[in-house]
Amino acid sequence: QVPLVESGGGLVQAGNSLRLSCAPSGRTFSAAMGWFRQAPGKEREFVAAITWVMGTEYYADSVKGRFSVSRDLGTNFLYLQMNSLKLEDTAVYYCASGYSGANIYTRESYDWWGQGTQVTVSS
């Protein structure tokens, strides 16, 4: 069973917006959840994260001011609002959970992952 399911990806023109959603398949608590992305030929990189109880947000420098991470405490859904999209935002976006309490910016700190959703930004 896939622990997390992402949705909302697609093809969008530069400057436009997309909203990604992440649905947990179970109700196992995670102290934080995050979004990562992987472009072709590149390593998977941190995009954003949020602590579940306090709602503290963390962002990669490349997306600050354009992306916004949020969560729904009732449904346990995670969201990523992406505005002013750029060509370099093109990647597969992954939702991550099962935060270990270590460095919130690194992929090794998360145990559970979704299968990813493709975001393609065109000119």
Side-chain angles (χ1 to χ4, degrees):
Q1 183 182 14
V2 176
L4 302 164
V5 180
E6 303 95 338
S7 62
L11 175 64
V12 63
Q13 283 192 318
N16 285 350
S17 301
L18 277 177
R19 188 191 194 206
L20 304 184
S21 299
C22 173
S25 61
R27 297 189 64 83
T28 302
F29 175 77
S30 178
M33 291 184 68
W35 290 98
F36 288 73
R37 67 187 181 186
Q38 188 166 16
K42 294 188 177 181
E43 295 289 321
R44 191 172 299 189
E45 64 175 6
F46 173 81
V47 175
I50 187 167
T51 60
W52 206 253
V53 174
M54 298 301 294
T56 304
E57 301 169 24
Y58 301 83
Y59 296 97
D61 288 342
S62 59
V63 306
K64 276 182 185 175
R66 301 188 297 122
F67 289 13
S68 178
V69 61
S70 62
R71 85 278 192 236
D72 186 315
L73 295 176
T75 62
N76 288 340
F77 272 55
L78 180 72
Y79 300 99
L80 185 68
Q81 178 67 42
M82 306 186 294
N83 299 327
S84 302
L85 282 161
K86 302 177 180 180
L87 296 178
E88 52 263 42
D89 294 320
T90 294
V92 177
Y93 282 71
Y94 297 89
C95 176
S97 185
Y99 174 58
S100 67
N103 188 336
I104 203 167
Y105 296 95
T106 63
R107 55 185 293 187
E108 291 78 14
S109 297
Y110 300 86
D111 288 332
W112 308 316
W113 294 83
Q115 293 183 321
T117 184
Q118 176 71 48
V119 172
T120 303
V121 184
S122 65
S123 58

